[in-house]
Amino acid sequence: MREIQDRGMLADYLRQYELETIFYEPFRPHLSLYCFDQGEFICSQGAPAEYLYVLVSGKIKIYTTSPEGKTLILNFMKPLEIIGDIEYLKETDTVNTVEAVTTVHMIGIHHRWLRKFGQDYAPMLQFLLDMITNKFYIKSNFLSLNLMYPVEVRLASYLLSISFDDADTSGEKQRTAINLVDAANLIGTSYRHVNRVIQKFCKDGLVERDKGYIRVIDRKGLSDLAGQNIYEVVTKGGTNQ
């Protein structure tokens, strides 16, 4: 993580996502713009939570880990999304692990400034309420349906989510390192099942394997198989392509 020392870029993000009223003048000196590189953790499950983050650029992966060490993807998110809202309101440790899938820009503010300037500020409270309500609606639907989808759909959705960045318009095939054991854990199935499905995808011309990498060669075919990508959802103020 590194702080981007560019107040103009920060102001541009506030305007772009209509956050100027929410983060009104007293907040401004205490807002920071951060960059997280691909694969970097924004926060880790169980760690102390001190900041509220607003995702304004890039894509993140949100997942949970059981006491036995099993992990399960909850979803992938694009702007506009907030991280640390529940932790701020409940004053609890970090609930889920959040990882950058692409290079990510986040607006961050420490909880103490939220308490000082936002605790009785109606636009901020309404913003948090809207985002949390939407988040619980998504989670309720996702958790009830996720494991009911065939592994083929879950794996196709996972490959689409980790292999493509909307900012990439080059049309080039994407080559992504993928650990099949991790993929199996994250989509809630066995390594053998994932391996069989990958072999089928290769046979069908959707992907190819190359020295530990998976290369997506037919994005449309994967999209047709996945239907609506179950790991990427539309959030209030954001869009998914």
Side-chain angles (χ1 to χ4, degrees):
M1 178 188 75
R2 63 184 183 278
E3 185 174 354
I4 301 174
Q5 302 288 343
D6 188 335
R7 304 305 289 185
M9 183 182 293
L10 173 58
D12 287 344
Y13 279 130
L14 292 175
R15 283 192 296 270
Q16 179 181 348
Y17 292 105
E18 301 179 352
L19 296 172
E20 292 170 300
T21 301
I22 294 160
F23 291 109
Y24 72 127
E25 202 60 40
F27 280 120
R28 302 294 172 78
H30 308 293
L31 296 176
S32 298
L33 184 61
Y34 297 104
C35 178
F36 294 85
D37 294 326
Q38 182 181 19
E40 194 170 359
F41 293 108
I42 290 93
C43 54
S44 298
Q45 183 176 337
E50 298 180 331
Y51 285 84
L52 179 83
Y53 291 108
V54 182
L55 174 66
V56 291
S57 177
K59 184 192 294 185
I60 57 175
K61 175 172 64 178
I62 303 172
Y63 58 93
T64 188
T65 305
S66 73
E68 296 76 28
K70 295 287 187 180
T71 57
L72 181 67
I73 289 177
L74 299 179
N75 44 47
F76 289 78
M77 290 290 189
K78 302 173 188 175
L80 185 68
E81 180 58 39
I82 55 176
I83 301 299
D85 45 357
I86 296 170
E87 290 84 348
Y88 163 65
L89 293 171
K90 295 290 291 181
E91 298 184 358
T92 186
D93 290 339
T94 303
V95 177
N96 298 310
T97 297
V98 181
E99 180 182 337
V101 175
T102 66
T103 298
V104 162
H105 287 173
M106 292 265 196
I107 296 173
I109 184 166
H110 198 280
H111 288 178
R112 67 174 175 270
W113 303 118
L114 286 174
R115 295 189 186 97
K116 183 172 183 178
F117 301 118
Q119 200 157 8
D120 299 313
Y121 181 55
M124 170 60 72
L125 296 176
Q126 186 63 53
F127 175 66
L128 292 174
L129 177 62
D130 289 347
M131 298 297 284
I132 290 172
T133 300
N134 194 58
K135 186 176 292 187
F136 275 104
Y137 173 79
I138 290 166
K139 185 175 182 180
S140 176
N141 281 276
F142 175 78
L143 291 179
S144 65
L145 294 174
N146 176 38
L147 297 183
M148 297 174 66
Y149 282 96
V151 170
E152 289 81 359
V153 171
R154 281 183 269 158
L155 186 57
S157 292
Y158 177 75
L159 291 174
L160 288 169
S161 294
I162 66 171
S163 299
F164 290 91
D165 180 0
D166 288 345
D168 179 14
T169 57
S170 66
E172 296 180 0
K173 296 166 185 167
Q174 302 293 308
R175 183 172 180 266
T176 302
I178 176 172
N179 182 309
L180 294 188
V181 174
D182 289 345
N185 287 336
L186 288 167
I187 67 173
T189 190
S190 68
Y191 165 81
R192 289 184 179 181
H193 201 158
V194 166
N195 195 44
R196 286 196 297 270
V197 174
I198 288 289
Q199 290 175 357
K200 183 178 185 300
F201 284 179
C202 290
K203 182 179 178 181
D204 293 343
L206 300 175
V207 303
E208 60 186 19
R209 300 173 83 157
D210 179 22
K211 298 178 181 178
Y213 287 85
I214 299 293
R215 181 181 286 110
V216 175
I217 59 177
D218 184 358
R219 184 183 185 185
K220 184 179 183 303
L222 279 180
S223 296
D224 290 344
L225 178 60
Q228 180 181 356
N229 188 335
I230 63 173
Y231 294 127
E232 294 191 21
V233 292
V234 176
T235 58
K236 183 178 177 65
T239 58
N240 288 326
Q241 304 297 324

